């Protein structure tokens, strides 16, 4: 896998990674990305076909627990229903305030596959696939390689990096704790490590020999230069593109990223059951169990209603630590600016 341009548009499911954003980024020669999580295989296939002529565009997939070799099936099932039921109770005041119903625990657990098999079956059309949230079995890598697909894995530790290479990864996205949105910790029950991106990059570069894409807190050309100097083949930027014209970032998310000048971000499991970083709000005071995607499904109506009401108190406002420096304007200009100190 070769990275000819120093910038990669980090995949951002849930709206921001629109087809317009992937097109705009790919048109500069950088690698665009579609966020395939929480989309059907059919939708994702259509989205990819809509951008396939634009340049290089990758497809990012969430690895569900059933396909994640890092999941301990016994531990992850312990008291699942009880813990979800207790969490659901805590959600009721938020649901009442917005006038919405939330699913039952049973409904939340009804479909946890994220259309995984259908997405893998569709992947032979996609030249680049990246996995987040876990590490599939080596057979999956072999299957994708057979159809000529290059496969990346987002890793947050040296051990995850080693394992990903052993399973057949062609490149790694090394994600530091500065990153906006979800951490791609492979074991969903593990707490994320806090090794800063540059140190993590150094440590991973010592043990693996495939291209590394750095992610987390990269919002200026200087940051891009830093990660390249630490051995990265490219820099993946998420937050830096959230305010671009083409991003599908929802209006309340855009508004708060621009209005909240505190620079403060925090991590929480409340939005999905997995750890994610965002601007600080009331919802994040709730403790949530490490049960993905059920916590996500339970909170969807609250998040949707809050977005519709432009109420920042109970929707995810994903942001990396560098969000204050994120720019508005055409994505291609932001990408060119980020790459502008290119040697
Ligand atoms: C709004 C948002 C949504 C995200 N969704 C995904 C996703 O669907 N898949 C993924 O692998 N990473 C996702 N991430 C993480 C990014 O791919 C990337 O690791 C992160 O944005 C890098 O840190 P930065 O935001 O400081 O640039 C998301 C990040 C944000 C901000």
């Amino acid at each position: 896998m070769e990275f000819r341009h120093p910038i990669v548009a980090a995949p951002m499911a849930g709206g921001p990674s629109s087809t317009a954003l992937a097109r705009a980024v790919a048109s500069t020669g950088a690698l665009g990305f579609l966020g395939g999580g929480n989309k059907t295989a059919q939708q994702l296939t259509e989205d990819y076909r809509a951008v396939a002529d634009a340049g290089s565009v990758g497809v990012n997939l969430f690895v569900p627990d059933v396909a994640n070799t890092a999941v301990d099936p016994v531990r992850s099932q312990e008291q699942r229903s009880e813990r979800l039921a207790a969490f659901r109770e805590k959600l009721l005041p938020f649901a009442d305030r917005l006038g919405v119903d939330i699913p039952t625990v049973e409904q939340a657990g009804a479909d946890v596959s994220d259309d995984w098999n259908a997405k893998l079956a569709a992947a032979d059309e996609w030249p680049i696939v990246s996995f987040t949230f876990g590490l599939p079995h080596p057979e999956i890598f072999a299957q994708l390689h057979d159809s000529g697909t290059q496969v990346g894995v987002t890793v947050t530790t040296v051990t995850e990096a080693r394992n990903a290479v052993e399973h057949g990864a062609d490149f790694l996205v090394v994600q530091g704790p500065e990153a906006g949105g979800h951490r791609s910790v492979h074991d969903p029950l593990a707490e994320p490590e806090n090794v800063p991106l540059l140190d993590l990059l150094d440590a991973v570069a010592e043990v693996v020999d495939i291209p590394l894409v750095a992610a987390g807190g990269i919002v200026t050309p200087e940051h891009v230069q830093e990660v390249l100097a630490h051995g990265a083949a490219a820099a993946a930027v998420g937050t830096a593109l959230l305010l671009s014209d083409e991003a599908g970032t929802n209006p309340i998310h855009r508004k708060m990223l621009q209005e909240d000048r505190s620079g403060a971000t925090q991590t929480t499991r409340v939005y999905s059951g997995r750890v994610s970083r965002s601007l600080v709000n009331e919802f994040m005071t709730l403790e949530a169990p490490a049960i993905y995607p059920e916590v996500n499904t339970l909170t969807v109506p609250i998040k949707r209603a809050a977005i519709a009401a432009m109420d920042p108190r109970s929707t995810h406002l994903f942001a990396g630590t560098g969000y204050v420096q994120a720019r508005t304007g055409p994505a291609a200009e932001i990408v060119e600016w980020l790459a502008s100190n290119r040697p």
Side-chain angles (χ1 to χ4, degrees):
M1 175 85 192
E2 212 187 318
F3 289 86
R4 289 195 206 93
H5 191 287
I7 303 297
V8 173
M12 296 188 285
S17 283
S18 61
T19 50
L21 180 59
R23 282 199 88 81
V25 170
S27 73
T28 67
L31 177 60
F33 248 100
L34 295 174
N38 295 331
K39 263 189 193 157
T40 62
Q42 176 69 29
Q43 259 176 311
L44 193 51
T45 299
E46 284 166 22
D47 285 356
Y48 184 77
R49 288 180 185 162
V51 300
D53 65 335
S56 291
V57 176
V59 174
N60 174 253
L61 301 180
F62 290 177
V63 181
D65 281 5
V66 284
N68 183 0
T69 56
V71 166
D72 175 342
V74 176
R75 247 185 96 210
S76 71
Q77 287 308 318
E78 279 169 11
Q79 297 175 327
R80 218 167 160 97
S81 307
E82 293 88 327
R83 288 187 293 142
L84 285 169
F87 175 64
R88 188 178 182 281
E89 284 299 306
K90 294 196 242 173
L91 293 177
L92 294 175
F94 289 89
D96 286 347
R97 186 166 80 190
L98 289 157
V100 291
D101 289 327
I102 55 175
T104 62
V105 167
E106 209 174 58
Q107 286 165 339
D111 182 9
V112 294
S113 74
D114 201 26
D115 217 7
W116 173 250
N117 289 329
K119 284 175 185 171
L120 288 181
D124 56 1
E125 274 190 46
W126 307 330
I128 300 169
V129 164
S130 78
F131 292 129
T132 192
F133 288 175
L135 183 63
H137 200 274
E139 278 166 16
I140 304 280
F141 287 79
Q143 179 192 323
L144 291 167
H145 287 153
D146 280 348
S147 56
T149 301
Q150 303 274 321
V151 191
V153 178
T154 304
V155 299
T156 64
T157 67
V158 171
T159 306
E160 288 173 359
R162 263 207 206 97
N163 293 342
V165 172
E166 265 174 31
H167 283 223
D170 301 293
F171 67 98
L172 299 178
V173 178
V174 178
Q175 188 199 44
E178 302 87 348
H182 285 102
R183 287 309 292 291
S184 173
V185 178
H186 291 184
D187 174 357
L189 300 181
E191 288 309 313
E193 287 186 8
N194 259 324
V195 179
L197 175 61
L198 296 179
D199 295 337
L200 181 61
L201 260 182
D202 289 346
V204 171
E206 269 194 26
V207 297
V208 310
D209 204 16
I210 58 174
L212 305 180
V213 176
I218 302 169
V219 282
T220 66
E222 292 72 29
H223 294 151
V224 173
Q225 282 314 301
E226 263 176 352
V227 297
L228 297 182
H230 280 256
V237 296
T239 298
L241 292 170
L242 278 174
L243 296 176
S244 66
D245 295 345
E246 295 88 347
T249 313
N250 70 57
I252 186 64
H253 193 183
R254 262 182 202 271
K255 180 167 181 272
M256 296 313 293
L257 284 169
Q258 289 172 284
E259 275 184 10
D260 183 343
R261 298 284 89 187
S262 69
T265 59
Q266 263 177 29
T267 58
T268 177
R269 286 191 188 265
V270 78
Y271 295 119
S272 68
R274 277 188 165 268
V275 174
S276 59
R277 180 175 294 284
S278 59
L279 302 182
V280 186
N281 69 6
E282 184 191 352
F283 208 39
M284 291 164 72
T285 58
L286 292 186
E287 288 263 329
I291 306 178
Y292 180 91
E294 289 90 333
V295 170
N296 183 57
T297 310
L298 286 173
T299 54
V300 160
I302 294 172
K303 293 180 288 195
R304 283 208 184 127
I307 292 166
M310 290 291 281
D311 179 347
R313 292 174 296 177
S314 55
T315 184
H316 48 316
L317 303 166
F318 288 159
T321 53
Y323 80 88
V324 171
Q325 287 173 290
R327 293 188 165 193
T328 55
E333 277 178 21
I334 297 171
V335 168
E336 301 288 7
W337 170 67
L338 287 167
S340 58
N341 287 349
R342 193 169 6 172

